[in-house]
């Protein structure tokens, strides 16, 4: 600072001191607004003014723009050309672990837009890389950014040890660990701030903060999609000895009901001022109208950006999903024509199509077919057209024909693993699926999913937990689905589902064959059931070693109003675990369910009632079954079928079962066993 500049500053301070200590009448004389303008002018005088992109880029790189400086932003900054900088790496963050930003940056109600960072091997990535303990960022918005880093990745700050106040971020973040919409890792304070965006990482991933390490997060919220592998949440991925106060996230937009801190609210609730406990809606926050999100008064309204619709007409375009910024992992896609995928057999040195590893958008197949999809990756988990379907993901009206899929754990033609999402009106015809554990025709493993009106026909081979439609159902709802499969494996094999550890199945069926003479826990419909199954049937032939049943191999859940009518053969000498309907009932319940003794060639079952073939074709044999809304049969001609399978009217034919009787097994083999 020159002597002349210092003299001017001292004169200004002297004048301001006299002004502030004078009587109110003097202030009134020159005007209170004039005093306020002087005060603001002094703030500007003490700060380093940033009014161009060029000046902003000098922070921390030139002596007159130190990392310890006091900055004030005087205009919005457009960094949309940053995608061409540094050989495509883009913008370089301000501050790092060795030289953090320790000054003050007052955004002054302005925004920085269009930041592009592509540094996947670098930690501490954001507009600011590292904020030191004395650092402060306030009154700043960051919008329309694309930021990709390794660890500690945030839209505004990669690592915060200082203060972030009255700031927001809106954009796309990707990294591995500690990835957050606003801040990657927080050991400082974040207050009166929010984030809107799409955040993806592996561990410690959150809508606002990836990892809160002893920091304080107060009066904040997050809106958007969050994709992680472990320890991820709608607001905060993980909170280690930190404090989270009066903070929220949108469960509808994120699809997540969990967070390591904060309260999850519906989109409707997020649009109500009453949701935000102890927030200042007089001086700091505003809510333009019910249904919108709160915004910071100094920065103005911000609208959450929903992805647009993208058309897919070739297998090459389909392969780009999640691998190209123009085909984001959260996008909405419509398949506009049938797709010939037979060339995928030659891709990647014979490995074929690379699964869409992470997806939380929507794919509407429009009823079109994808023919000849080929994936040969026996060393890879989460294998299918979609590797992992995340919260909010939806697949509908899609058909795969002649697909051939090979993976290790969690393998299916359409989805390898569903964490949460919707799959409806999808089918696979003439499919071939091979894998190790959690192998299904349509889906390898399903969590909190809704699966309806889906089917599979083809061949499936695996080692453990193999199902004609789904390998394992671990909490999903399966409705009106079917399979016709040839299955082989070693453990937990089912015509529709290999293992249902939780969840429910209703109005579904399985046909086909299980031929694994050395296997255990094999059932025509489900190999191992610990959930709920109602109004379903199996006409699947089963050959296995131990715990073998026409409908279920082993049951510890509840099965009601179901039947089986397939051949059952157990190769073990322990015949007490081989049953016409259920092999072994482990404190489960089997209610008003039946099996065909003649077809199965089994007179006993650990649960259910045995009937003759004639009785199985009489509606009067099925106690309290709904033959008006759920079931239909041509009496004396066929077994019951589900009404959704065809356009059925009234029951046809005569029951003609008079004089026939239900043959019950010995004690322990009847209805509602196992208590």
């Amino acid at each position: 600072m020159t002597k002349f500049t210092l003299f001017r500053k001292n004169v200004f301070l002297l004048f301001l001191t006299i002004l502030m200590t004078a009587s109110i009448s003097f202030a009134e004389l020159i005007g209170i607004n004039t005093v306020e303008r002087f005060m603001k002018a002094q703030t500007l005088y003490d700060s380093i003014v940033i009014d161009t992109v060029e000046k902003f880029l000098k922070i921390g790189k030139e002596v007159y723009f130190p990392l310890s400086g006091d900055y004030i932003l005087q205009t919005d900054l457009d960094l949309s050309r940053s995608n061409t900088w540094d050989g495509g790496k883009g913008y370089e963050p301000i501050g790092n672990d060795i030289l953090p930003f320790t000054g003050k940056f007052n955004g002054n109600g302005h925004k920085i837009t269009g930041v592009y960072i592509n540094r996947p091997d670098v930690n501490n990535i954001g507009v600011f890389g590292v904020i030191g303990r004395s650092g402060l960022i306030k009154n700043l918005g960051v919008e329309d950014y694309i930021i990709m880093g390794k660890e500690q990745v945030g839209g505004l700050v990669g690592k915060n040890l200082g203060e972030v106040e009255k700031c927001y971020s809106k954009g796309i973040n990707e990294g591995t660990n500690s990835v957050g919409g606003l801040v990657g890792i927080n050991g400082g304070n974040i207050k009166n701030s929010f984030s809107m965006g799409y955040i993806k990482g592996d561990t410690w991933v959150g809508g606002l903060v990836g990892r809160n390490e002893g920091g304080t997060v107060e009066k904040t919220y997050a809106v958007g999609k969050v994709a992680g592998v472990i320890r991820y949440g709608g607001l905060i991925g993980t909170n280690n000895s930190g404090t989270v106060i009066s903070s929220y996230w949108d469960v509808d937009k994120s699809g997540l009901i969990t967070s390591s801190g904060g309260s999850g609210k519906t989109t409707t609730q997020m649009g109500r001022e009453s949701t935000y406990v102890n927030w200042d809606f007089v001086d700091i926050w505003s809510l333009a109208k019910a249904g919108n999100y709160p915004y910071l008064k100094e920065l103005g309204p911000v609208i959450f950006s929903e992805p647009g619709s993208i058309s897919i007409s070739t297998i090459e375009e389909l392969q780009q999903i999640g691998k190209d910024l123009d085909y984001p992992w959260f996008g909405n896609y419509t398949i506009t024509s049938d797709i010939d995928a037979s060339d995928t057999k030659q891709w990647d040195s014979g490995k074929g199509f690379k699964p869409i590893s992470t997806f939380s958008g929507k794919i509407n197949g429009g009823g079109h077919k994808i023919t000849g999809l080929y994936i040969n990756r026996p060393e890879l988990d989460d294998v299918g057209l979609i590797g992992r379907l995340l919260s909010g993901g939806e697949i509908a009206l899609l058909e795969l024909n002649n697909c051939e899929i090979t993976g290790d754990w969690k393998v299916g033609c359409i989805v390898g693993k569903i964490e949460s999402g919707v799959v409806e009106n999808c089918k696979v015809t003439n499919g071939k699926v091979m894998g190790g554990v959690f192998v299904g025709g349509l889906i390898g493993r399903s969590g909190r999913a809704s699966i309806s009106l889906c089917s599979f026909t083809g061949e499936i081979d695996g080692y453990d937990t193999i199902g004609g439609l789904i390998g394992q159902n671990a909490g999903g709802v399966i409705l009106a689905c079917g399979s016709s499969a040839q299955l082989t494996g070693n453990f937990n094999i089912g015509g529709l589902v290999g293992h249902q550890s939780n969840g429910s199945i209703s109005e579904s069926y399985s046909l086909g064959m299980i031929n694994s003479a050395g296997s255990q826990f094999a059932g025509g419909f489900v190999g191992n059931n610990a959930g709920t199954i109602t109004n379903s049937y199996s006409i699947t032939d089963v050959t296995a070693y131990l715990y073998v049943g026409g409908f279920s191999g082993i049951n510890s859940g509840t099965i009601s109003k179901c039947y089986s009518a397939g051949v059952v053969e157990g190769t073990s000498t322990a015949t007490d675990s081989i049953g016409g309907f259920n092999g072994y009932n482990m404190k489960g319940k089997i209610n008003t369910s039946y099996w065909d003794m003649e077809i199965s060639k089994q007179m006993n079952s650990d649960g259910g009632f045995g009937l003759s073939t004639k009785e199985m074709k009489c509606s009067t044999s099925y106690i309290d079954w709904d033959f008006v809304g759920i079931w239909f049969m041509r009496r004396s001609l066929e077994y019951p079928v589900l009404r959704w399978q065809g356009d059925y009217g009234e029951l046809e034919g005569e029951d003609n079962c008079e004089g026939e009787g239900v043959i019950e097994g010995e004690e322990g083999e009847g209805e509602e066993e196992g208590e």
Side-chain angles (χ1 to χ4, degrees):
M1 186 177 294
T2 66
K3 290 182 179 180
F4 180 69
T5 302
L6 183 61
F7 172 75
R8 289 174 56 199
K9 180 176 180 180
N10 290 336
V11 169
F12 184 90
L13 288 173
L14 178 62
F15 174 73
L16 188 62
T17 302
I18 294 170
L19 179 64
M20 295 303 293
T21 56
S23 66
I24 188 65
S25 59
F26 180 74
E28 289 174 344
L29 178 66
I30 67 171
I32 294 294
N33 289 338
T34 304
V35 174
E36 291 174 349
R37 286 197 296 270
F38 280 155
M39 294 289 288
K40 188 171 184 179
Q42 175 60 19
T43 300
L44 290 171
Y45 195 89
D46 286 339
S47 300
I48 302 171
V49 173
I50 300 295
D51 54 10
T52 66
V53 171
E54 289 71 23
K55 287 183 181 179
F56 178 71
L57 296 177
K58 292 179 181 179
I59 296 175
K61 297 179 176 65
E62 293 192 8
V63 66
Y64 296 112
F65 294 85
L67 290 168
S68 59
D70 187 346
Y71 297 90
I72 187 163
L73 186 61
Q74 285 291 81
T75 185
D76 293 344
L77 299 179
D78 181 1
L79 275 66
S80 58
R81 297 183 64 184
S82 56
N83 62 341
T84 64
W85 298 351
D86 198 7
K89 293 180 181 180
Y91 169 87
E92 184 178 359
I94 297 170
N96 54 47
D97 277 323
I98 299 173
L99 296 171
F101 180 81
T102 56
K104 296 178 176 61
F105 191 95
N106 182 356
N108 197 27
H110 292 291
K111 304 174 182 66
I112 299 173
T113 61
V115 173
Y116 177 85
I117 304 175
N118 184 17
R119 300 174 185 270
D121 299 322
V122 180
N123 298 336
N124 303 317
I125 295 296
V127 174
F128 292 84
V130 179
I131 303 297
R133 297 198 180 280
S134 61
L136 169 67
I137 312 295
K138 66 178 182 179
N139 305 325
L140 178 64
V142 181
E143 290 192 2
D144 303 328
Y145 59 80
I146 297 171
I147 294 176
M148 293 171 284
K150 188 178 181 182
E151 300 186 0
Q152 293 88 250
V153 180
L156 180 66
V157 183
K159 178 192 288 186
N160 175 51
L161 301 175
E163 306 280 338
V164 173
E165 184 176 352
K166 290 192 284 189
C167 294
Y168 76 85
S169 60
K170 189 180 83 164
I172 301 170
N173 300 12
E174 294 188 17
T176 55
N177 303 330
S178 300
V179 185
L182 188 75
V183 175
I185 184 170
N186 179 53
N189 299 314
I190 303 171
K191 188 175 182 180
N192 290 315
S193 299
F194 67 93
S195 178
M196 294 179 173
Y198 299 89
I199 303 97
K200 184 171 75 168
D202 294 333
T203 307
W204 307 315
V205 186
L208 187 86
V209 175
R211 183 155 57 113
N212 190 37
E213 284 289 335
T216 298
V217 177
E218 182 176 1
K219 296 173 185 172
T220 65
Y221 74 85
V223 178
K225 300 282 190 182
V226 180
V229 179
I230 58 174
R231 296 186 181 179
Y232 58 97
L235 185 78
I236 296 175
T238 193
N239 183 31
N240 293 328
S241 302
T243 302
V244 182
I245 303 168
S246 192
S247 294
Y248 310 89
W249 82 93
D250 188 321
V251 295
D252 295 332
K253 289 290 191 293
S254 69
L256 296 176
I257 60 174
T258 58
S259 171
S260 187
S263 300
K265 303 294 180 180
T266 65
T267 300
T268 300
Q269 291 171 325
M270 294 286 286
R272 296 173 182 161
E273 189 175 310
S274 60
T275 294
Y276 303 90
V277 179
N278 295 326
W279 284 34
D280 183 350
F281 279 95
V282 176
D283 297 318
I284 297 176
W285 294 95
S286 185
L287 194 58
K289 61 180 180 179
N292 291 356
Y293 296 101
Y295 65 88
L296 293 160
K297 284 191 170 184
E298 190 160 353
L299 289 160
V302 182
I303 298 173
F304 177 66
S305 301
E306 300 280 1
S309 181
I310 301 171
S311 296
I312 298 288
S313 60
T314 69
I315 190 61
E316 288 79 13
E317 290 174 338
L318 198 63
Q319 181 69 99
Q320 291 302 103
I321 296 176
K323 303 174 182 66
D324 189 307
L325 292 173
D326 293 328
Y327 295 85
W329 55 271
F330 50 83
N332 295 330
Y333 298 91
T334 301
I335 295 177
T336 57
S337 63
D338 290 348
I339 293 176
D340 182 358
S342 57
D343 284 350
T344 56
K345 201 161 190 175
Q346 315 302 323
W347 287 9
D348 198 6
S349 303
K351 292 182 179 181
F353 186 90
K354 187 173 183 179
I356 301 168
S357 61
T358 301
F359 187 72
S360 69
K362 298 178 182 179
I363 296 178
N364 186 330
H368 294 293
K369 294 181 181 179
I370 299 173
T371 301
L373 181 69
Y374 180 83
I375 303 174
N376 183 23
R377 300 178 183 270
E379 77 294 341
L380 188 66
D381 296 342
D382 303 331
V383 175
L385 174 66
I386 309 292
R388 292 171 59 228
L389 185 67
L390 305 183
S391 301
E394 297 182 16
I395 313 295
L397 296 168
L398 180 63
E399 180 177 348
L400 268 63
N401 183 38
N402 293 332
C403 59
E404 191 171 343
I405 313 294
T406 301
D408 193 3
W409 287 46
K410 293 158 288 183
V411 185
C413 281
I414 290 184
V415 183
K417 177 186 178 182
I418 300 181
E419 295 186 3
S420 179
V422 176
V423 179
E424 61 183 10
N425 280 296
C426 292
K427 66 179 180 178
V428 174
T429 57
N430 194 31
K432 293 183 179 179
V433 185
M434 295 181 65
V437 183
F438 306 126
V439 185
L442 201 78
I443 299 160
R445 187 179 188 274
S446 172
R448 294 184 302 106
S450 173
I451 302 161
S452 59
L453 295 168
C454 294
S455 64
F456 172 86
T457 61
E459 302 174 9
I460 305 166
D461 178 59
Y463 178 75
D464 189 356
T465 314
I466 303 115
L469 190 78
I470 300 171
Q472 182 184 39
N473 182 33
V477 176
I478 301 170
L479 172 65
C481 292
S483 66
S484 179
Q486 312 296 310
L487 301 103
T488 56
N490 291 69
F491 300 96
N492 299 309
I493 311 169
L496 191 84
V497 175
H499 181 199
Q500 179 167 239
S501 58
N502 193 9
S504 66
I505 307 171
S506 59
E507 297 184 50
S508 297
Y509 71 88
S510 63
L511 311 174
M513 178 182 295
I514 297 171
N515 188 6
S516 293
S519 65
Q520 300 182 50
F521 312 116
F525 189 86
V526 59
N528 187 339
N529 176 55
T532 301
I533 304 173
T534 58
N535 292 307
S536 297
Y537 72 91
S538 173
I539 303 179
T540 301
D541 296 336
V542 184
T543 300
Y545 180 70
L546 203 59
Y547 303 111
V548 187
F551 190 87
S552 50
I554 186 169
N555 176 57
S556 58
T558 299
I559 300 173
S560 302
K561 298 178 182 177
C562 298
Y563 79 85
S564 63
V567 176
V568 179
E569 181 180 355
T571 59
S572 170
T573 56
T575 57
D576 57 345
S577 66
I578 300 164
F581 185 85
N582 179 63
Y584 178 62
N585 197 32
M586 190 170 64
K587 296 184 178 181
K589 293 185 177 182
I590 300 175
N591 306 320
T592 55
S593 296
Y594 309 89
W595 86 92
D596 188 319
M597 295 184 298
E598 295 178 54
I599 295 296
S600 68
K601 300 179 183 178
Q602 297 293 331
M603 298 297 294
N604 299 308
S605 173
D606 197 0
F609 293 111
L611 300 176
S612 67
T613 300
K614 182 178 180 181
E615 290 169 319
M616 292 287 291
K617 296 179 180 179
C618 299
S619 62
T620 54
S621 298
Y622 300 89
I623 299 171
D624 295 328
W625 283 34
D626 181 356
F627 279 96
V628 176
I630 296 176
W631 294 96
F632 172 83
M633 72 186 309
R634 293 182 176 87
R635 291 175 287 200
S636 300
L637 296 175
E638 62 181 25
Y639 299 108
V641 292
L642 295 157
R643 283 190 173 271
W644 66 262
Q645 291 182 260
D647 184 14
Y648 297 117
E650 298 295 324
L651 294 178
E652 300 175 2
E654 299 292 333
D655 274 320
N656 193 27
C657 292
E658 187 176 351
E660 300 289 339
V662 173
I663 300 175
E664 299 184 24
E666 299 176 359
E667 184 178 355
E669 298 172 343
E671 188 176 4
E672 298 189 356
E673 305 304 325
E675 295 297 335

